[in-house]
Amino acid sequence: MTVIPHFTGDAKPYGGGDPYADYRTADFPFAQLVDLADRRLGAGVVAANDEFFAERENLLKPEPAEFDPEHFGHKGKIMDGWETRRRRGVSAAEPHPTDADHDWALVRLGAPGVVRGLVVDTAHFRGNYPQSVSVEGTSLPGSPSPEELLAPGVEWTSLVPRTAVGGHAANGFAVESGRRFTHLRVNQHPDGGIARLRVYGEVAPDPAWLAALGTFDLAALENGGEVEDASDRFYSPATNTIAPGRSRKMDDGWETRRRRDKGNDWIRYRLAEQSEIRALEIDTAYLKGNAAGWAEISVTDGEGTEPVELLPRTRLQPDTNHRFVLPEPVRGTHVRIDIFPDGGISRLRLFGSLTEEGAARLSARHEALGG
């Protein structure tokens, strides 16, 4: 079992230079999984009890938190995170907050799923971070309002018990709930600031929604597709290739380092479930002098089966979306794209529908996860 470093205590006051020079972080074993709270998947911070100094929406910004030592406003120092006012007691005789006092924010996951790990990042909150944090999860259908989420009778499951955290640090927590969640409640005790929240896990789509769609992107993150492995993640993660929407810039896709051997690069995907693939897209948007030269795609139907050619080795053009209609559907559970010799693609889309067997397995998993 991987031991996750535990940070506590203040960081030193900012002394100039690179503000990240004394930032405390680690390699978290779950960080290669999907960030279920990614804004590109539709995540949002739907409510918070207090955001006096800095807005709750900052929690889910995709980029690292920034720090400007000269940035002040009418309410004080402006921070790139979610920051609440200082809590006080009820009277001069009792000036301190009680042990139960805390601030909270409600987070809608972009894709419902099984949470495997969280990072509560207090970057640049050196002396104004929370003393401790806790995180809970719930699963509600549809698009519940904050009032519905906070209503009596809603069941919340503890994902991270109240735990002391450190300032100016990436505070990571492994989660072993094994259930499907749609929303999280992030609590900071008693008050303070959190720069970013990352929620790593596995997408668990609603089988009824996929059945209603009929034909859909079988590899998409939001539909339960997953990158199982990749030969190279030097410049950008392979998971970008199945992110929602079109790529917006070069590093929003997958790009490998330059090869100096005779090999090639590849990504292996697990589809939402066993499916029949009917069409595909390979997009090289924004990859102009570094797009892959050629690509080929193969599919396997379950572990240990022989790969079947889905697309023969085909020339790719830079900054272009390539579309291919298959002569007949191809059944499978896993897909591999090989690019030659190196370079990158921005998106891969595999269009089709679940088989009867795949739909049955997906429904059984959904029920087992409490969906």
Side-chain angles (χ1 to χ4, degrees), residues 51-74:
E51 47 187 328
F52 186 84
F53 286 114
E55 295 80 8
R56 63 182 191 260
E57 287 84 1
N58 292 334
L59 279 174
L60 304 187
K61 284 183 178 178
E63 64 276 358
E66 297 182 353
F67 180 72
D68 181 351
E70 304 300 325
H71 197 190
F72 285 83
H74 294 295

Side-chain angles (χ1 to χ4, degrees), residues 28-358:
F28 301 114
F30 43 73
Q32 293 298 331
L33 298 175
V34 181
D35 181 4
L36 301 174
D38 191 328
R39 284 287 302 172
R40 293 178 298 176
L41 286 172
V45 185
V46 299
N49 71 307
D50 186 296
E51 47 187 328
F52 186 84
F53 286 114
E55 295 80 8
R56 63 182 191 260
E57 287 84 1
N58 292 334
L59 279 174
L60 304 187
K61 284 183 178 178
E63 64 276 358
E66 297 182 353
F67 180 72
D68 181 351
E70 304 300 325
H71 197 190
F72 285 83
H74 294 295
K75 295 180 180 179
K77 182 74 184 72
I78 296 176
M79 298 293 289
D80 186 10
W82 168 49
E83 186 181 6
T84 65
R85 72 192 79 196
R86 300 187 188 218
R87 281 187 170 270
R88 297 291 185 249
V90 295
S91 67
E94 299 179 30
H96 302 101
T98 70
D99 189 58
D101 286 341
H102 67 279
D103 293 317
W104 53 264
L106 296 176
V107 176
R108 179 190 65 244
L109 298 180
V114 181
V115 179
R116 301 298 186 190
L118 297 110
V119 175
V120 178
D121 190 348
T122 58
H124 315 302
F125 289 95
R126 295 169 175 269
N128 51 347
Y129 60 95
Q131 183 184 46
S132 59
V133 300
S134 60
V135 183
E136 303 158 281
T138 192
S139 183
L140 291 182
S143 303
S145 67
E147 292 75 20
E148 290 170 322
L149 288 165
L150 297 173
V154 173
E155 179 187 355
W156 289 89
T157 300
S158 175
L159 304 184
V160 177
R162 185 169 175 174
T163 305
V165 295
H168 197 43
N171 300 278
F173 305 92
V175 176
E176 299 178 357
S177 70
R179 293 185 56 191
R180 177 182 186 268
F181 297 104
T182 61
H183 294 77
L184 301 186
R185 182 163 58 192
V186 182
N187 306 302
Q188 50 177 337
H189 309 264
D191 53 37
I194 299 171
R196 297 288 188 268
L197 175 71
R198 305 295 185 229
V199 183
Y200 297 103
E202 301 151 4
V203 176
D206 183 349
W209 173 251
L210 297 185
L213 292 179
T215 297
F216 59 92
D217 183 355
L218 305 160
L221 286 177
E222 57 195 317
N223 294 332
E226 179 183 323
V227 169
E228 287 194 331
D229 201 4
S231 61
D232 188 292
R233 297 180 174 91
F234 189 82
Y235 286 113
S236 46
T239 302
N240 283 352
T241 60
I242 52 175
R246 298 292 181 190
S247 176
R248 296 167 297 173
K249 52 182 180 172
M250 190 172 70
D251 67 352
D252 194 17
W254 173 59
E255 182 189 357
T256 72
R257 73 190 82 193
R258 300 189 188 209
R259 277 191 171 266
R260 302 307 187 201
D261 58 18
K262 299 301 181 181
N264 72 282
D265 290 312
W266 51 267
I267 305 174
R268 186 176 71 246
Y269 304 90
R270 179 184 57 77
L271 304 182
E273 244 303 341
Q274 186 189 64
S275 311
E276 288 191 337
I277 306 168
R278 299 186 177 86
L280 60 95
E281 291 184 357
I282 304 174
D283 196 354
T284 58
Y286 295 98
L287 295 159
K288 298 183 178 181
N290 48 0
W294 293 262
E296 64 184 35
I297 301 178
S298 58
V299 59
T300 54
D301 189 16
E303 298 293 338
T305 60
E306 289 297 315
V308 173
E309 183 180 84
L310 196 64
L311 181 74
R313 193 173 302 186
T314 301
R315 186 76 169 95
L316 299 181
Q317 301 299 323
D319 196 27
T320 300
N321 189 32
H322 311 74
R323 289 180 170 171
F324 306 92
V325 176
L326 304 182
E328 59 184 25
V330 179
R331 176 175 296 196
T333 58
H334 293 74
V335 164
R336 171 169 161 151
I337 183 169
D338 285 80
I339 62 170
F340 301 87
D342 56 24
I345 61 172
S346 62
R347 296 289 189 271
L348 175 69
R349 305 298 188 203
L350 301 167
F351 298 105
S353 57
L354 298 176
T355 64
E356 186 174 335
E357 180 182 345

Side-chain angles (χ1 to χ4, degrees), residues 205-208 273 354 357-369 371:
D206 183 349
E273 244 303 341
L354 298 176
E357 180 182 345
R361 284 201 298 255
L362 192 65
S363 294
R365 179 173 183 255
H366 185 70
E367 185 176 344
L369 293 174

